[in-house]
């Protein structure tokens, strides 16, 4: 079975600074996708960024980028120029051939002035 | 396109009662997923449909849980004889494609409290 581990329950970053959220996963599949989802307080979950395992190039979406280390089964999220609106729970997620998402336990990100 | 909607947003029920939740996916999305999220945890997969066919059910989905998606449109999740352990946020998601490459769009969730 696939597992996703987020070892940082909470992180804090000052506005305009950079923060990195960690995620590791375990799988025996060769074809899979990794995601970072954002869940603001009392609001629905939205996709931040996606990485296809077969792609060596790290995905980027504006201020968000990932560091995908396939051999190490590591998938971290870097948020640059942090904004107050980035405060939320961030979930790392995996999907393989089954298409269902397997989530980590989440990292709560606080953004301070 | 108004996104995935769920109804009700909140439900309080007494132990032993039956409850039913509804999810309306984004139109033309053929895949519909149900997840359960307890406090401080990530969502856990419950079941999913491709069109009207229920393709997979998690072991988390006991016999008290049943889900349907008639005509491949909206879906309902029913919990019979609710227990306090059923208290959670129930999330619905839909996607356009049949592989993991397609983004799952989430609804706002239904928060169930069993007293």
């Amino acid at each position: 079975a696939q597992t996703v581990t987020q070892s940082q329950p909470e992180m804090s970053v000052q506005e305009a600074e950079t923060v990195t959220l960690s995620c590791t996963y375990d799988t025996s599949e060769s074809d899979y996708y990794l995601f970072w989802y954002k869940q603001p307080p009392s609001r629905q979950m939205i996709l931040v960024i996606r990485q296809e395992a077969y792609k060596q190039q790290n995905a980027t979406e504006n201020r968000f980028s990932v560091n995908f280390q396939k051999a190490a089964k590591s998938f971290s999220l870097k948020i640059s120029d942090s904004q107050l609106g980035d405060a939320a729970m961030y979930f790392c997620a995996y999907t393989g051939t089954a298409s269902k998402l397997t989530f980590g336990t989440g990292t709560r990100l606080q953004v301070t002035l | 396109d108004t996104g995935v909607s769920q109804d009700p947003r909140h439900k309080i029920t007494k132990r032993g009662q039956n409850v039913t939740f509804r999810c309306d996916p984004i139109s033309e999305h053929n895949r519909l997923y149900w997840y359960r999220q307890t406090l401080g945890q990530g969502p856990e997969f419950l079941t999913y449909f491709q069109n009207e066919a229920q393709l997979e059910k998690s072991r988390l989905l006991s016999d008290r849980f049943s889900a349907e998606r008639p005509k491949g449109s909206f879906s309902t999740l029913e919990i019979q004889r609710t227990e306090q352990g059923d208290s959670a946020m129930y999330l619905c998601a839909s996607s356009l494609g049949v592989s993991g490459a397609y983004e799952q769009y989430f609804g706002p969730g239904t928060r169930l409290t069993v007293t």
Side-chain angles (χ1 to χ4, degrees):
Chain A
Q2 293 76 31
T3 58
V4 177
T5 303
Q6 293 180 250
S7 58
Q8 304 156 316
E10 289 192 18
M11 292 284 285
S12 183
V13 63
Q14 284 192 320
E15 199 177 18
E17 297 297 309
T18 296
V19 64
T20 299
L21 308 184
S22 301
C23 173
T24 58
Y25 62 96
D26 191 24
T27 183
S28 57
E29 296 179 311
S30 58
D31 186 18
Y32 55 89
Y33 300 83
L34 296 163
F35 307 85
W36 279 97
Y37 276 88
K38 171 185 178 182
Q39 189 177 41
S42 302
R43 295 182 61 186
Q44 60 207 75
M45 197 163 320
I46 57 173
L47 179 66
V48 174
I49 198 165
R50 171 174 59 202
Q51 175 78 46
E52 294 88 341
Y54 64 86
K55 288 188 177 179
Q56 291 187 332
Q57 188 172 6
N58 289 324
T60 62
E61 287 288 343
N62 301 314
R63 298 183 295 108
F64 299 87
S65 62
V66 298
N67 183 5
F68 174 47
Q69 301 290 326
K70 192 172 183 178
K73 294 181 180 174
S74 170
F75 182 62
S76 61
L77 173 70
K78 185 171 81 171
I79 306 174
S80 304
D81 186 26
S82 296
Q83 301 174 359
L84 294 177
D86 295 332
M89 282 291 289
Y90 285 82
F91 292 98
C92 179
Y94 167 102
T95 189
T97 55
S99 296
K100 62 187 178 185
L101 289 167
T102 300
F103 288 88
T105 51
T107 296
R108 182 175 302 280
L109 179 66
Q110 292 184 319
V111 181
T112 59
L113 293 171
Chain B
D1 185 354
T2 57
V4 179
S5 61
Q6 293 187 245
D7 183 69
R9 296 290 304 277
H10 303 274
K11 179 70 176 179
I12 301 174
T13 191
K14 292 184 177 179
R15 186 165 54 96
Q17 298 295 304
N18 300 342
V19 294
T20 299
F21 310 140
R22 176 180 170 123
C23 170
D24 286 272
I26 294 172
S27 59
E28 298 181 355
H29 277 195
N30 56 23
R31 284 232 167 160
L32 187 148
Y33 302 80
W34 286 99
Y35 295 86
R36 180 171 68 188
Q37 185 178 20
T38 53
L39 204 61
Q41 299 295 317
E44 295 175 297
F45 168 77
L46 293 179
T47 187
Y48 83 87
F49 294 82
Q50 182 167 319
N51 299 312
E52 66 274 12
Q54 188 173 17
L55 296 187
E56 185 177 348
K57 292 193 294 185
S58 164
R59 284 173 289 182
L60 293 174
L61 215 63
S62 75
D63 291 344
R64 298 184 297 106
F65 288 71
S66 63
E68 294 182 341
R69 192 184 182 194
K71 302 180 182 178
S73 55
F74 69 92
S75 176
T76 59
L77 178 68
E78 181 184 15
I79 310 175
Q80 296 182 327
R81 305 181 304 281
T82 52
E83 301 173 355
Q84 286 190 324
D86 297 331
S87 295
M89 177 76 84
Y90 290 83
L91 299 172
C92 177
S94 70
S95 68
L96 181 60
V98 298
S99 77
Y102 291 88
E103 177 181 349
Q104 292 187 24
Y105 293 83
F106 283 81
T110 294
R111 181 169 297 283
L112 173 65
T113 302
V114 182
T115 62

